């Protein structure tokens, strides 16, 4: 077992202790100095240190309309006066404007909606509030907060999948602050709106907390669920005000308006105090280990995070280490405990633990209490502790890998900070192009706005099913379609009528199917695959059908609630995967092949010898093999063939075509061209999450020296979701920034011919062969040179005409391509921790 400083000292040698005259942990700068004590300059893993200055608070007077009882209860809870942003948002909501509060972590966004909502409940004994949360932990935390502030007549209560059936009727009849989630709204409330009519006609406010969590296909579904809620409330005479709370995101008013389907005013000037912080970017060094084709591997981010966690605990620093997977969180905690044992610090072992989705509620509450009180010093966690939980007063946060978005990074980093003491945040880069870029380009972290939240309500694979749900609740009229997309919605209705799913009548369009539409807002519509334990027949859970070939194929490692299983057999026809419990020292990665044909082109930018396009593509994907890779190092142990049927996907893409002039200028010969395009494709997929709220596992790509549909050398990046999720279109809109970051990442990597930090992909369908790193840089140089002479896109040019496409068309003729494996969910890595979501 080695610590983070394995290059200069062994794990049984603790960091040099430094005195803290005030007691407790050291301030952030001194903590970092202690962690690096004894490190040679050549071995220093820190690439940049940024100082975040302290910010004083800006207070405001209580609005005149806030009653004395509520002010008194807030004062009892330590809130003598509100911050300026809380009052600004509350005044807007009180005046009837939809509003989004987009301020920093722990800035008191809750009070911004509690003030107008609780006041409305006090003024009108019949009014009620709907509160929507993306996770169980956040929902229960906010429920407790409201219960402490509200008048007894409010009777706040949860209505979600955990609410016993015998309590649900009581909640519907008596609660005036109902805590629920988009899933329950979609499946339990809106389809039964007649039963909920007395509640829905009295809704004064709808609170959408942590709304930046609703992105991609899921966010697009949630946007339509909220439109359906507005429509049903209007049917019963209510026009609720929406108050949204968000992490800091780019253009929060636009993102929130797209989610709600109505204009939203943003409040972004944060009036809360912020203690100073030291933020270090940290990249583990290259090692002597090698991966595919002899590429060098870095020391793992998890190993360095475990060493940091142990060192910080020894410094008496209360620390959260954010890890991307549930299994990884438990592994980091165990490695940290082992390091402490090896140093003879058994007294600290019990003060390190892990926190993730899947624990029992009482276990989670106890961990939260122990961390808040200081009984626990170090906790390795998934993003289950990222959203909204009132855990502050931490001395340090360690991020083991980029969490997917800058919004999430700042949310996690914001968990550190005591009122009068500087904190420490350390971002530990994984062996990944985006992490490598951020570690060496601090301006990408500290000098630019966070990315935009990407949703696409016009996605026909989302819009069609949602229109069916709306018609099943109330017949659709022409006036309704304006909220659902106007002309796009009308065209989609025509498709649904032709499919026999809707029926036209003089009064509108009616649902023509049997029962109610069965729409999974968290999936893409494919039938889920059941995960069954072979020895007992116990149903462990399900996975999305579209991801099943990549995640639960025969031989795959499957993680469920912290337990690991190996798949014995995937029965495609019966949609069932049989597993057995096992804890191997390896993980699995699927390999596949991809053929892509272009269906239609929506926008084209001619850039001299290069042309950029966005439009609709058909993708045929087949998982053909999987690799076993050693945990912690990524070393490939073995590869096994698979025999699975091909899958078809119609989605949206962005692609570049390079004519012969561009190839000549890049000085790439025929032999090097496929590898050059392939390497550029890999790197661009790895960097798109820098500018769009997605993960590389949400994307796919192909590259070819001669594509039959374009007649030219072509690089394609596509959304890995039916109908698209808006990510490729975001790439088209920010093409220059995207490819500049891609080129910088490849050119700056210290490897010779390509590695996982620049052009190798963990999910390449071609086994990362061929790849030409130097050729990729020259190709990107030519593209960027053409972009430098092109005018910026106007807003009108970015508007994309949608074409309804409910069913994937048959793909065209297949062509030899190099591919980035079709998107699937790497177990436990992408998106919110599934076990922490509210169903």
């Amino acid at each position: 077992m080695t610590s983070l400083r394995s290059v200069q000292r062994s794990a049984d040698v603790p960091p040099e202790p430094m005195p803290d005259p005030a007691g407790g942990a050291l301030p952030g700068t001194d903590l970092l100095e202690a962690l690096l004590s004894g490190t040679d300059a050549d071995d220093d893993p820190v690439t940049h240190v940024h100082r975040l200055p302290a910010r004083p608070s800006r207070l405001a007077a209580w609005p005149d309309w806030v009653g004395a009882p509520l002010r008194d209860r807030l004062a009892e809870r330590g809130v003598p006066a509100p911050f300026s942003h809380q009052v600004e948002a509350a005044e807007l909501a009180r005046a009837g404007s939809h509003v989004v509060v987009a301020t920093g972590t722990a800035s008191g966004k809750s009070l911004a909606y509690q003030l107008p909502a609780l006041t409305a409940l006090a003024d009108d004994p019949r009014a009620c509030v709907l509160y929507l949360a993306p996770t169980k932990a956040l929902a229960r935390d906010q429920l407790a907060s409201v219960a402490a502030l509200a008048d007894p007549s409010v009777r706040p209560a949860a209505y979600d999948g955990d609410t016993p059936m015998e309590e649900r009727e009581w909640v519907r009849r008596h609660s005036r602050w109902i805590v629920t989630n988009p899933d329950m709204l979609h499946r339990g409330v809106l389809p039964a709106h007649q039963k909920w009519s007395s509640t829905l006609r009295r809704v004064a406010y709808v609170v959408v907390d942590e709304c930046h969590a609703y992105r991609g296909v899921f966010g697009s579904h949630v946007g339509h669920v909220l439109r359906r809620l507005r429509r049903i409330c209007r049917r019963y005479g209510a026009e609720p005000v929406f108050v949204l709370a968000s992490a800091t995101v780019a253009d929060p008013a636009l993102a929130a308006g797209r989610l709600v389907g109505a204009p939203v005013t943003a409040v972004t000037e944060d009036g809360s105090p912020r203690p100073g912080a030291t933020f270090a970017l940290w990249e583990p060094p290259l090692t002597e280990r090698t991966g595919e084709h002899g590429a060098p591997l870095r020391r793992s981010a998890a190993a360095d995070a475990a060493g940091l966690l142990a060192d910080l605990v020894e410094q008496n620093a209360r620390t959260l280490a954010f890890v991307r997977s549930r299994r990884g969180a438990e592994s980091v905690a165990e490695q940290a405990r082992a390091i402490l044992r090896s140093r003879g610090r058994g007294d600290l072992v019990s003060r390190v633990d892990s926190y993730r989705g899947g624990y029992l509620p009482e276990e989670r509450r106890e961990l939260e209490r122990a961390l808040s009180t200081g009984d626990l010093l170090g906790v390795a966690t998934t993003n289950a502790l990222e959203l909204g939980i009132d855990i502050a007063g931490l001395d340090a946060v360690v991020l083991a890998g980029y969490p997917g978005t800058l919004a999430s990074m700042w949310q996690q980093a914001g968990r550190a900070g005591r009122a009068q003491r500087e904190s420490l945040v350390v971002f530990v880069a994984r062996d990944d192009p985006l992490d490598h870029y951020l570690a060496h380009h601090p301006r990408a972290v500290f000098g630019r706005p966070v990315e935009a939240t990407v949703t696409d309500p016009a996605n026909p694979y989302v819009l069609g099913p949602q229109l069916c749900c709306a018609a099943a609740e109330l017949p659709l009229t022409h006036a309704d379609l304006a909220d659902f997309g106007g002309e796009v919605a009308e065209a989609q209705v025509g498709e649904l009528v032709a499919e026999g799913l809707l029926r036209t009548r003089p009064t509108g369009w009616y649902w023509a199917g049997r029962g109610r539409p069965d729409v999974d807002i968290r999936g893409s519509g494919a039938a889920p695959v059941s995960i069954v334990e072979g020895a007992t027949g116990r149903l462990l859970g399900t996975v999305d059908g579209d991801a099943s070939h990549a995640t639960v194929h025969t031989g795959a490692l499957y993680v469920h609630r912290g337990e690991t299983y190996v798949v014995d057999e995937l029965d495609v026809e019966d949609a069932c995967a049989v597993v057995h419990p096992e804890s191997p020292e390896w993980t699995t990665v699927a390999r596949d092949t991809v053929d892509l044909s272009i269906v239609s082109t929506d926008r084209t930018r001619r850039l001299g010898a290069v042309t950029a396009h966005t439009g609709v593509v058909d993708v045929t994907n087949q998982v053909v093999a999987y690799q076993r890779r050693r945990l912690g190092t990524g070393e490939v142990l073995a590869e096994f063939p698979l025999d699975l049927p091909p899958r078809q996907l119609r989605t949206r893409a962005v692609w570049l075509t390079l004519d012969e002039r561009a190839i000549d200028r890049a000085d790439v010969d025929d032999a090097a061209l496929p590898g050059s395009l392939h390497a550029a494709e890999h790197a661009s997929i790895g960097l798109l999450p820098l500018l769009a709220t997605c993960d590389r596992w949400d994307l796919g790509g192909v590259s070819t020296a001669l594509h039959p549909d374009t007649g030219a050398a072509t690089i394609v990046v596509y959304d890995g979701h039916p109908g698209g999720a808006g990510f490729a279109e975001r790439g088209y809109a920010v093409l220059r920034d995207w490819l500049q970051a891609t080129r910088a990442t490849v050119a700056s990597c210290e490897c010779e011919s390509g590695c996982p930090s620049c052009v190798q992909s963990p999910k390449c369908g071609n086994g990362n062969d061929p790849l030409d790193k130097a050729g990729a840089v020259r190709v990107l140089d030519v593209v960027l040179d053409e972009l430098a002479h092109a005018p910026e896109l106007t807003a009108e040019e970015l508007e994309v005409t949608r074409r309804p496409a409910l069913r994937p068309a048959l793909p065209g003729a297949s062509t030899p391509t190099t591919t980035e494996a079709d998107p699937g969910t790497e177990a436990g890595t992408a998106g919110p921790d599934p076990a922490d979501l509210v169903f």
Side-chain angles (χ1 to χ4, degrees):
M1 178 69 65
T2 58
S3 81
L4 59 96
R5 288 166 305 281
S6 60
V7 291
Q8 73 271 6
R9 65 174 177 81
S10 63
D12 57 0
V13 180
E16 187 68 26
M18 298 182 68
D20 175 21
L26 298 164
T29 302
D30 292 340
L31 268 178
L32 182 61
E33 183 180 340
L35 297 177
L36 295 172
S37 60
T39 304
D40 294 333
D42 293 341
D43 297 325
D44 190 349
V46 175
T47 61
H48 181 79
V49 177
H50 185 83
R51 179 79 171 81
L52 295 170
R55 180 185 63 212
S57 64
R58 287 187 290 113
L59 299 177
W62 291 110
D64 295 339
W65 45 264
V66 178
L70 178 56
R71 293 200 304 269
D72 292 343
R73 284 191 289 268
L74 286 165
E76 291 171 3
R77 292 174 58 83
V79 185
F83 300 130
S84 57
H85 67 276
Q86 294 170 330
V87 171
E88 182 183 356
E91 292 278 20
L92 285 165
R94 175 74 172 180
S97 296
H98 304 309
V99 60
V100 57
V101 190
T103 53
T105 309
S107 60
K109 290 187 283 286
S110 299
L111 190 61
Y113 57 75
Q114 289 170 349
L115 287 178
L118 289 174
T119 299
L121 299 186
D123 293 344
D124 181 358
R126 291 183 53 79
C128 69
V129 172
L130 287 179
Y131 170 92
L132 308 179
T135 66
K136 294 175 183 176
L138 175 58
R140 301 298 170 170
D141 189 73
Q142 288 299 306
L143 186 61
S145 174
V146 169
L149 293 175
D151 182 90
S153 67
V154 173
R155 297 182 288 271
Y159 189 89
D160 57 34
D162 292 341
T163 306
M165 295 301 296
E166 59 272 17
E167 292 183 16
R168 296 187 180 190
E169 179 70 16
W170 184 93
V171 174
R172 188 168 68 241
R173 290 182 176 274
H174 300 291
S175 176
R176 296 203 294 139
W177 189 294
I178 299 174
V179 174
T180 186
N181 55 80
D183 306 83
M184 184 58 80
L185 197 60
H186 164 65
R187 290 191 178 276
V189 176
L190 296 179
H193 62 85
Q194 295 91 344
K195 291 183 179 179
W196 284 85
S197 60
S198 63
T199 298
L200 294 172
R201 65 169 44 98
R202 296 182 289 112
V203 177
Y205 290 94
V206 176
V207 177
V208 185
D209 210 348
E210 303 292 2
C211 65
H212 63 279
Y214 304 122
R215 58 183 187 259
V217 171
F218 175 49
S220 301
H221 273 294
V222 171
H224 284 297
V225 171
L226 296 181
R227 286 163 172 79
R228 287 161 49 202
L229 173 63
R230 291 175 54 226
R231 176 174 176 255
I232 294 294
C233 286
R234 195 178 302 124
R235 163 69 173 77
Y236 292 110
E239 287 285 351
V241 173
F242 281 74
V243 185
L244 303 95
S246 173
T248 304
V249 295
D251 206 341
L254 179 64
R258 191 184 300 121
L259 193 64
V260 171
V264 176
T265 302
V267 174
T268 58
E269 291 295 325
D270 195 335
S272 65
R274 182 183 67 191
T278 297
F279 201 129
L281 305 181
W282 178 295
E283 184 172 49
L286 291 171
T287 68
E288 296 180 354
R289 297 191 308 273
T290 59
E292 287 186 313
H293 311 297
L297 297 176
R298 295 188 184 279
R299 198 167 56 213
S300 76
D304 276 23
L308 280 165
L309 185 59
D311 290 348
L312 288 164
V313 166
E314 283 198 282
Q315 294 290 334
N316 200 37
R318 281 197 271 174
T319 305
L320 277 182
F322 283 100
V323 187
R324 285 172 57 89
S325 71
R326 287 169 281 169
R327 188 179 186 189
E330 296 196 347
S331 175
V332 165
E334 181 52 43
Q335 288 182 64
R337 288 190 289 260
I339 291 172
L340 291 170
R341 289 191 197 97
S342 72
R343 296 175 182 169
R345 296 306 308 268
D347 57 313
L348 294 176
V349 169
S350 64
R351 302 186 73 182
V352 176
D353 212 328
S354 59
Y355 182 107
R356 56 167 175 77
Y359 289 162
L360 295 175
E362 55 268 25
E363 293 175 318
R364 294 159 66 94
R365 298 294 87 77
E366 173 56 26
L367 283 167
E368 292 164 16
R369 183 207 62 77
L371 184 58
S372 294
T373 60
D375 293 342
L376 277 178
L377 279 176
V379 173
T381 178
T382 62
N383 58 3
L385 285 181
E386 176 184 326
L387 299 179
I389 302 301
D390 187 16
I391 292 178
L394 300 175
D395 299 296
V397 164
V398 177
L399 294 87
Y402 185 60
T405 66
L406 276 179
S408 290
M409 174 181 272
W410 287 113
Q411 282 285 102
Q412 294 176 3
R415 290 290 160 218
R418 300 197 191 191
Q420 302 299 325
R421 186 188 297 273
E422 180 187 279
S423 61
L424 174 66
V425 181
V426 182
F427 163 65
V428 183
R430 293 181 303 148
D431 211 355
D432 175 87
L434 181 51
D435 286 40
H436 173 77
Y437 178 83
L438 294 174
H440 291 274
H441 294 82
R443 289 186 62 185
V445 179
F446 308 110
R448 72 177 184 88
V450 295
E451 57 280 286
T453 299
V454 176
T455 56
D456 182 15
N459 179 345
Y461 288 80
V462 173
L463 178 58
Q466 288 292 333
L467 288 171
C468 289
C469 291
E473 292 156 5
L474 288 173
L476 281 168
T477 67
H478 281 286
D480 293 329
L481 297 184
D483 279 344
F484 290 95
E487 293 181 3
V488 174
E490 289 190 24
Q492 191 71 72
V493 165
E495 293 279 342
L496 295 171
V497 171
E499 293 279 334
L501 297 175
L502 295 184
R503 182 181 297 114
T504 304
R505 292 289 184 265
T507 53
W509 292 280
Y510 288 72
W511 167 242
R514 295 183 178 180
R516 295 193 178 276
D518 184 15
V519 177
D520 178 8
I521 66 174
R522 292 185 184 269
S524 59
V529 173
S530 300
I531 313 298
V532 177
E533 187 174 19
T536 64
R538 180 168 61 108
L539 178 65
L540 298 177
T542 62
V543 297
D544 182 63
D546 286 321
S548 61
H549 286 203
T551 56
V552 290
H553 56 75
T554 300
L557 184 70
Y558 173 72
V559 182
H560 177 74
R561 304 193 74 173
E563 302 297 327
T564 55
Y565 299 82
V566 173
V567 179
D568 297 315
E569 180 186 8
L570 171 60
D571 189 322
V572 175
E573 291 187 2
D574 290 339
C576 176
V578 180
V579 304
H580 70 268
E582 187 177 341
S583 299
E585 294 301 313
W586 42 261
T587 187
T588 55
V589 176
R591 294 293 200 191
D592 67 358
T593 59
V594 177
D595 288 334
L596 180 144
S597 61
I598 296 170
V599 177
S600 63
T601 302
D602 293 330
R603 286 290 181 269
T604 295
R605 293 182 69 189
R606 301 197 181 279
L607 309 168
V610 178
T611 307
H613 315 259
T614 183
V616 178
V617 297
D618 278 336
V619 181
T620 301
N621 162 270
Q622 185 173 18
V623 176
V624 295
Y626 73 94
Q627 289 182 343
R628 287 182 180 173
R629 298 187 179 185
R630 191 182 305 279
L631 282 175
T633 68
E635 294 175 274
V636 178
L637 302 176
E639 183 165 312
F640 302 89
L642 292 169
D643 183 19
L644 288 167
R647 312 283 289 275
Q648 296 175 349
L649 170 73
R650 174 164 287 190
T651 186
R652 305 191 72 84
V654 55
W655 63 95
L656 294 172
T657 55
L658 293 82
D659 66 21
E660 292 183 1
R661 294 172 297 161
I663 303 302
D664 290 341
R665 285 168 51 193
D667 192 22
V668 177
D669 60 26
D670 291 345
L673 182 57
S676 301
L677 298 173
H678 192 198
E681 171 217 325
H682 278 187
S684 61
I685 288 173
L687 268 294
L688 184 53
L690 183 69
L691 298 159
T693 48
C694 66
D695 190 277
R696 75 177 300 155
W697 297 85
D698 292 317
L699 305 167
V702 301
S703 56
T704 178
L706 181 64
H707 195 285
D709 292 341
T710 66
T714 305
I715 299 172
V716 186
V717 176
Y718 62 86
D719 292 355
H721 303 276
F727 306 136
E729 290 168 340
R730 175 67 177 165
Y732 180 81
V734 295
L735 190 62
R736 182 181 300 172
D737 290 343
W738 174 25
L739 296 184
Q740 282 176 341
T742 301
R743 194 267 182 202
T745 297
V746 179
S748 67
C749 186
E750 60 204 279
C751 71
E752 291 185 8
S753 57
C755 71
S757 291
C758 57
V759 299
Q760 284 196 350
S761 167
K763 58 196 187 79
C764 176
N766 291 79
N768 284 299
D769 184 52
L771 290 175
D772 189 319
K773 176 183 175 181
V777 173
R778 294 197 296 272
V779 166
L780 290 167
D781 280 339
V782 171
V783 177
L784 288 168
D785 183 57
E786 298 286 21
L787 277 168
H789 296 90
E792 295 290 341
L793 287 173
T794 65
E796 292 75 16
E797 288 173 320
L798 290 175
E799 286 296 323
V800 176
T801 302
R802 292 298 190 176
R803 302 187 181 195
L806 278 177
R807 294 178 302 192
L810 292 176
S814 62
T815 59
T817 58
T818 48
T819 71
E820 173 102 4
D822 190 59
T825 302
E826 184 182 31
T829 63
D833 189 341
D836 189 56
L837 298 170
V838 183
F839 294 97

